[in-house]
Amino acid sequence: MNRSAAFPGPVPVTIDAMGSSSATSPGSTRREATRQKLYEAAVTLIAEQGFSATTVDEIAERAGVAKGTVYYNFASKSVLFEELLRHGVGLLTASLREAAERTAREGGGKVDALDAMVRAGLVFIDRYPAFTQLYVAELWRTNRAWQSTLAVVRQEAVAVVEGVLREGVEGGEFSAEIDVPLTAAALVGMVLVAALDWKSFQPERSLDDVHAALSRLLQGRVSGRP
Amino acid sequence: MNRSAAFPGPVPVTIDAMGSSSATSPGSTRREATRQKLYEAAVTLIAEQGFSATTVDEIAERAGVAKGTVYYNFASKSVLFEELLRHGVGLLTASLREAAERTAREGGGKVDALDAMVRAGLVFIDRYPAFTQLYVAELWRTNRAWQSTLAVVRQEAVAVVEGVLREGVEGGEFSAEIDVPLTAAALVGMVLVAALDWKSFQPERSLDDVHAALSRLLQGRVSGRP
DNA sequence: GCTTTTGCACTGACCAGTCAGCGCAAAAAT
DNA sequence: ATTTTTGCGCTGACTGGTCAGTGCAAAAGC
């Protein structure tokens, strides 16, 4: 339950509730609440220190539960982490997909959809900076147990962007020459890293500033065009 | 002068051309060679596993020296890591700066300079994937001893891009409305992440493919323009 | 009366950092 | 020319501490 940490560096990244899927709880509510507390505790600690540098005792303490409870709810430290990853990326992809569908419903084009997805990404990162940081730090690691979990989960997120790009090409809205997989990866990367940088090194800027900068870049209005 | 190969896998990545203390005392060649071996061993292991999950014994073993030698050459595990970071980012900024200067010398505009820097970034990542991976994984970490080292070092790299953008705006080549710091951060991020993704998930693509995709994105030729 | 949580002692593996000393080549002494 | 000394680079067994995971009896929800 404790939040905020006195960080030596210029980066005060704080935690937030990892948006519980809320309403629908399959198991007991109590158990689900405990797991939720453990997710929240783990996500900040691991984002700050890394997986191996974070101890189970720390996680339990920050979550305000006994160590035994961690092992009652999760088979191991790394299982807890893997479920955390799945949970978090699930929220992100849902958010991206929702943004794309919303613009479609409102009659916007694919450019608008892309723009909406950029904003959705930024909002997500604004809300869960610790999770995003942790995701980026672990994504390209080889040799780790959860590496395959991450690859799958990344593909889901990138696929949403690829879908919009592909439809845009088919509809003639985007140049037929764009390389869909590479462009999608670049876009996701651009948003991810720009947002982390924003949070870490330019926290005084507003979400709208960042969105505007990315939008401009995306629409080629950098090289002095109207 | 050897270069690296496949990314996902135990592949030795060489950081050559030290030139770190070259200006000062000659120093024993032997010692310098040992430090070099330790850098090389550490960079891959830490990229694969993370800092805390990598043991000093592993580093020593891969470098082919005794554990004591690590401590003879570096005050601690984290000092070894910090020096590794400084060295690596030094290479990157030098490479970016060189690219910008080269295009200027050849009479290219700022757009060309940006393009050349994107390519220089890709070439760097192609050559030192492990280092790049490690850099990204640690950059936004708070609470770590080397966090301030990294912030400084990041600023050096981003500043090179900012410089080109600023000159471009002043010269009227870029829209006066672009947000220089944010755009620079986004550009660096785009290149970094796109390249890591390329190496990890689409290794069959060529450097030219990736460069073309990023170039197109950068020049707004995504939304179906000539 | 189940499920869930607690508190706490315990274990065994693992690991950063230390230290006394080895090999060896170049200088110094004889 | 030979022995002796010096110091650098390196070694690897060892230490003190840490931490994931266990076991279990008692309490607290539901």
Side-chain angles (χ1 to χ4, degrees), chain A residues 1-7 11-16 44-45 48 62, chain B residues 142-143:
Chain A
M1 338 262 169
N2 106 41
R3 52 188 52 234
S4 95
F7 294 141
V11 190
V13 176
T14 44
I15 181 159
D16 270 59
T44 28
L45 286 168
E48 282 163 15
R62 168 138 357 166
Chain B
T142 53
N143 257 5

Side-chain angles (χ1 to χ4, degrees), chain B residues 5-217:
Chain B
F7 193 33
V11 179
V13 173
T14 312
I15 294 189
D16 44 34
M18 273 297 283
S20 50
S21 60
S22 51
T24 49
S25 67
S28 89
T29 314
R30 188 171 171 204
R31 193 164 182 191
E32 212 45 56
T34 305
R35 294 170 76 100
Q36 190 64 37
K37 279 193 294 183
L38 285 169
Y39 280 151
E40 288 170 27
V43 78
T44 31
L45 285 168
I46 296 179
E48 282 163 14
Q49 306 175 325
F51 176 79
S52 344
T54 301
T55 70
V56 174
D57 289 276
E58 279 177 314
I59 297 174
E61 193 191 344
R62 170 141 350 169
V65 301
K67 186 179 189 177
T69 305
V70 176
Y71 287 93
Y72 181 77
N73 284 282
F74 299 96
S76 68
K77 183 184 169 186
S78 43
V79 166
L80 161 56
F81 183 53
E82 278 186 66
E83 296 195 12
L84 182 59
L85 285 174
R86 261 192 288 271
H87 177 59
V89 178
L91 290 180
L92 174 60
T93 49
S95 168
L96 292 181
R97 204 168 279 137
E98 195 275 329
E101 280 164 12
R102 181 161 35 76
T103 56
R105 207 166 41 242
E106 291 170 0
K110 295 305 171 193
V111 175
D112 300 311
L114 230 42
D115 204 61
M117 286 165 73
V118 168
R119 175 164 275 267
L122 290 176
V123 168
F124 179 86
I125 295 167
D126 192 32
R127 190 174 303 182
Y128 312 117
F131 177 81
T132 309
Q133 184 186 333
L134 168 169
Y135 173 76
V136 169
E138 299 294 337
L139 181 57
W140 298 287
R141 200 85 88 207
T142 53
N143 257 5
R144 303 268 77 192
W146 56 77
Q147 207 270 341
S148 59
T149 302
L150 262 175
V152 169
V153 123
R154 176 209 87 107
Q155 189 48 41
E156 282 176 34
V158 174
V160 181
V161 179
E162 287 183 355
V164 171
L165 286 179
R166 200 167 289 118
E167 288 164 21
V169 170
E170 283 162 11
E173 203 171 340
F174 294 142
S175 159
E177 279 170 16
I178 71 171
D179 188 311
V180 172
L182 287 177
T183 306
L187 281 172
V188 171
M190 182 184 81
V191 174
L192 237 49
V193 177
L196 282 174
D197 241 73
W198 159 42
K199 287 279 153 190
S200 290
F201 300 111
Q202 316 184 43
E204 72 282 3
R205 314 304 300 270
S206 73
L207 195 151
D208 285 326
D209 282 352
V210 183
H211 184 210
L214 294 182
S215 231
R216 219 185 299 269
L217 198 53

Side-chain angles (χ1 to χ4, degrees), chain A residues 24-35:
Chain A
T24 42
S25 25
S28 91
T29 312
R30 185 148 82 114
R31 196 164 180 188
E32 211 46 53
T34 305
R35 293 170 78 102

